Amino acid sequence: MVAERKIETIEKASSMNMMDQTRGLNYEENLLWEKAPGDHPGVDLPAPQNSTLRTGLAARSTVGLPQVSEPQVLRHFVRLSTKNYSIDHGFFPLGSCTMKHNPRLNEKVARMPGFAHIHPLQPESTVQGALRVMYELQNILGELTNLRGVCLTPAAGAHGELAGLMTIRRAHELNGQGHRKVILVPDSAHGTNPATAAMCDYTIRVIPTKDGGRVTVEAFKEALYANGGDGKDVAGMMVTNPNTCGLFEREIIECADLLHKAGGYFYCDGANFNALVGKIRPGDFGVDVMHINLHKTFSTPHGGGGPGSGPICVNESLRAYLPSPVVVQDKDGSYHLEGVDERPTSMGRLKGFQGQFGMHLRALAYILSHGADGLKQVSEDAVLNANYILSQLKEDFYVPFAGPCMHECLLTDKLQKDVGVTTLDIAKTLIEHGMHPMTVFFPLVVSGAMLIEPTETESKESIDRFITVMKAVAADVKSGDTAKFHDFPLSAPRRRLDETKAAREPVLRWKA
Ligand SMILES: *Cc1c(COP(=O)(O)O)cnc(C)c1O
């Protein structure tokens, strides 16, 4: 009797908790405004006496600020800060995103007062060390890509794409080729590629990748010489290598040769450089311009953890048109930012100041601490880890493209879909098991895609845990135990959200 009552009380208490969804030291967090409405000031101030405010200046209505005390504010923000899942929490296999460990050494370097406390408007003579960091990074990125003209200013990968295409456009304009209006883009491209081309006023002509997942010379020729043309209307192509299916584009040199013969430039989306760094140089397979996501390949924090940085690297044919400024070294050995007035062929300024300097520092620290052999090991281990996952799961999930992959592997839900378990269900099941899902439904050309990128910084243990969960999912589906998959995640504070509605009708303002 007594025991029963005890249980009842616990249930009652816990159902009270459930009302505000706070369980297991996992706090449901309301907005500050919702938390403390009303007339409860968070601080005690004496009532004003003999107010010196002139009449007319006193507030006519309440300002509507939340009435909260210091500990309430502190707890609010600390609780919010724990709601972000991050690479520092656990495995984060998002394909295409290269969520790798950010070494703390980089953070230490970025916080050194000589770097952290300078201002972009300081005279160049007082920031020679910072300019040298940028100069060295330019040179190393030029060396790693064999594209020796480097501009560090773009603030993200997509911004690098914009910088690259504007550089190409500027080159064509100054060379009497401004009539070229077509950019060739494979159907498997990241959405930012066609979006960038469209922003630069180009027409997009799609290269179909067909069944193999790769661009073939055949398909490329069809696109280059479409409608019986000679390719002279083509300004360039944007190709990711390795591509978004995790495959190396084997016929890329032939395609680049044909493009160059027709007078176009080859833009390489370098977001997947993690698979190649230290092994091969994109300038050697025909690339004229490429962006690098420092926040992917060179481990600077991203995804809520820090700003992106997307430097572009170009070969000699495009160097004169690069955005400004770039850091140059003068004859006396000092460094300075070369402005548009010194290089009038430049496509111009892309943003305020010099880009994300803190990220330049972290990337340089990362590169120097790895060295040439370390960077080579990075890409080898990244590719090995992805292939390990592929080899372990290829009997359990459908593999759309045969053969080994590069730094990410692609699976689909084809074997599970017939009995009603989709890629979405599998992703939600991973959340239930305390794991961030892989990238889902991308690339768009592959139905039910699951793109998995473990990166080189994951341990075999964490990769094995992922494989175990994925295998268990496949086994449960095979045994017919499928109903539960539609309910996952059960333990997350929010379960299945209407993501389409959230995207289409975002509520961006709090209203009482
Ligand atoms: C990440 C990524 C981009 C865009 O980079 P952002 O820094 O997010 O703007 C472009 N293309 C590919 C293939 C990517 O993976």
Side-chain angles (χ1 to χ4, degrees):
M1 196 60 197
V2 174
E4 249 171 51
R5 188 176 292 155
K6 226 181 201 163
I7 287 166
E8 196 187 273
T9 330
I10 290 170
E11 270 179 1
K12 216 166 156 192
S14 93
S15 77
M16 273 171 68
N17 271 344
M18 292 209 15
M19 276 162 58
D20 65 7
Q21 301 270 322
T22 294
R23 266 167 302 168
L25 298 186
N26 229 332
Y27 282 81
E28 176 68 11
E29 195 59 22
N30 292 330
L31 296 177
L32 269 184
W33 279 266
E34 293 167 324
K35 189 188 288 293
D39 48 3
H40 240 8
V43 285
D44 279 333
L45 293 173
Q49 288 174 1
N50 306 326
S51 169
T52 52
L53 277 183
R54 278 197 277 146
T55 38
L57 286 181
R60 258 159 267 153
S61 59
T62 52
V63 186
L65 292 176
Q67 305 285 329
V68 280
S69 65
E70 182 171 314
Q72 281 176 306
V73 174
L74 194 75
R75 283 183 179 162
H76 174 69
F77 285 107
V78 168
R79 285 175 190 164
L80 282 187
S81 75
T82 63
K83 292 199 180 296
N84 251 354
Y85 186 82
S86 71
I87 187 66
D88 296 341
H89 274 83
F91 191 45
F92 210 135
L94 270 187
S96 207
C97 293
T98 313
M99 302 301 292
K100 59 160 107 171
H101 171 63
N102 316 131
R104 289 317 188 251
L105 175 66
N106 306 350
E107 297 305 315
K108 198 171 169 183
V109 171
R111 280 163 178 70
M112 287 164 75
F115 292 129
H117 295 171
I118 54 175
H119 191 279
L121 288 180
Q122 264 176 250
E124 283 176 352
S125 64
T126 66
V127 288
Q128 283 295 305
L131 291 176
R132 179 171 169 201
V133 163
M134 293 170 70
Y135 184 79
E136 303 266 335
L137 181 62
Q138 286 175 189
N139 285 347
I140 290 173
L141 297 181
E143 175 112 20
L144 288 170
T145 54
N146 198 19
L147 300 164
R148 308 289 172 152
V150 180
C151 175
L152 300 177
T153 56
H159 201 203
E161 291 173 39
L162 183 69
L165 277 211
M166 288 176 81
T167 301
I168 289 175
R169 191 173 67 181
R170 179 77 173 153
H172 280 315
E173 277 169 7
L174 292 190
N175 292 307
Q177 297 292 311
H179 54 275
R180 292 175 180 261
K181 284 287 172 220
V182 175
I183 296 283
L184 307 176
V185 185
D187 53 9
S188 60
H190 195 265
T192 48
N193 293 187
T196 302
M199 275 181 75
C200 291
D201 230 0
Y202 283 120
T203 306
I204 290 109
R205 194 181 292 156
V206 176
I207 313 168
T209 49
K210 307 211 173 112
D211 298 335
R214 292 180 170 92
V215 173
T216 61
V217 176
E218 210 75 17
F220 177 75
K221 275 185 178 164
E222 273 173 41
L224 182 65
Y225 308 127
N227 315 317
D230 54 4
K232 305 275 193 241
D233 56 340
V234 172
M237 69 168 170
M238 295 182 92
V239 173
T240 314
N241 197 19
N243 67 26
T244 58
C245 300
L247 305 174
F248 190 81
E249 293 289 2
R250 294 175 185 145
E251 300 179 18
I252 200 66
I253 293 182
E254 291 93 318
C255 295
D257 285 348
L258 292 170
L259 177 74
H260 289 145
K261 281 205 185 94
Y265 290 107
F266 176 5
Y267 183 94
C268 180
D269 176 331
N272 291 340
F273 197 38
N274 211 49
L276 311 179
V277 63
K279 297 287 286 184
I280 59 171
R281 305 178 304 176
D284 297 343
F285 58 74
V287 173
D288 299 301
V289 44
M290 166 175 143
H291 82 260
I292 294 177
N293 298 58
L294 296 187
H295 48 290
K296 293 180 182 171
T297 310
F298 298 114
S299 88
T300 69
H302 64 138
S309 183
I312 58 168
C313 307
V314 303
N315 62 17
E316 289 311 317
S317 70
L318 288 171
R319 195 197 267 262
Y321 315 102
L322 269 179
S324 166
V326 295
V327 181
V328 293
Q329 189 171 26
D330 295 331
K331 284 205 181 69
D332 66 358
S334 63
Y335 302 93
H336 92 269
L337 293 159
E338 181 197 57
V340 189
D341 47 338
E342 291 168 82
R343 188 163 44 85
T345 49
S346 163
M347 60 135 275
R349 234 180 199 290
L350 205 63
K351 74 188 290 295
F353 306 125
Q354 289 74 258
Q356 312 284 20
F357 176 65
M359 296 303 152
H360 304 158
L361 265 174
R362 287 174 175 85
L364 186 65
Y366 178 82
I367 290 168
L368 293 181
S369 58
H370 277 69
D373 54 339
L375 289 178
K376 192 163 157 239
Q377 180 102 41
V378 161
S379 52
E380 286 175 358
D381 289 352
V383 172
L384 181 66
N385 283 353
N387 277 286
Y388 175 54
I389 293 180
L390 182 63
S391 72
Q392 296 303 298
L393 294 180
K394 68 178 183 213
E395 309 293 326
D396 304 278
F397 294 88
Y398 182 72
V399 179
F401 305 116
C405 59
M406 294 295 286
H407 66 312
E408 51 195 357
C409 70
L410 187 58
L411 307 173
T412 85
D413 61 1
K414 195 172 175 183
L415 306 180
Q416 287 76 29
K417 209 167 144 185
D418 283 349
V419 288
V421 176
T422 66
T423 286
L424 186 72
D425 297 319
I426 296 166
K428 299 296 184 190
T429 307
L430 287 179
I431 296 177
E432 183 60 21
H433 287 278
M435 228 176 275
H436 196 286
M438 67 293 268
T439 289
V440 293
F441 303 114
F442 175 83
L444 300 174
V445 283
V446 177
S447 167
M450 292 182 270
L451 188 62
I452 303 158
E453 181 180 1
T455 83
E456 73 284 1
T457 62
E458 271 329 305
S459 65
K460 179 157 184 301
E461 288 71 24
S462 68
I463 294 177
D464 279 338
R465 207 172 92 71
F466 172 79
I467 291 167
T468 305
V469 173
M470 289 291 282
K471 276 187 172 297
V473 169
D476 277 359
V477 173
K478 221 171 181 178
S479 73
D481 184 10
T482 57
K484 62 182 182 191
F485 288 108
H486 306 301
D487 292 330
F488 289 140
L490 299 172
S491 350
R494 297 289 182 278
R495 295 175 56 194
R496 297 241 175 162
L497 304 178
D498 186 343
E499 284 152 17
T500 314
K501 187 168 184 212
R504 294 209 173 135
E505 300 166 33
V507 180
L508 302 175
R509 227 185 123 201
W510 181 81
K511 287 204 199 100

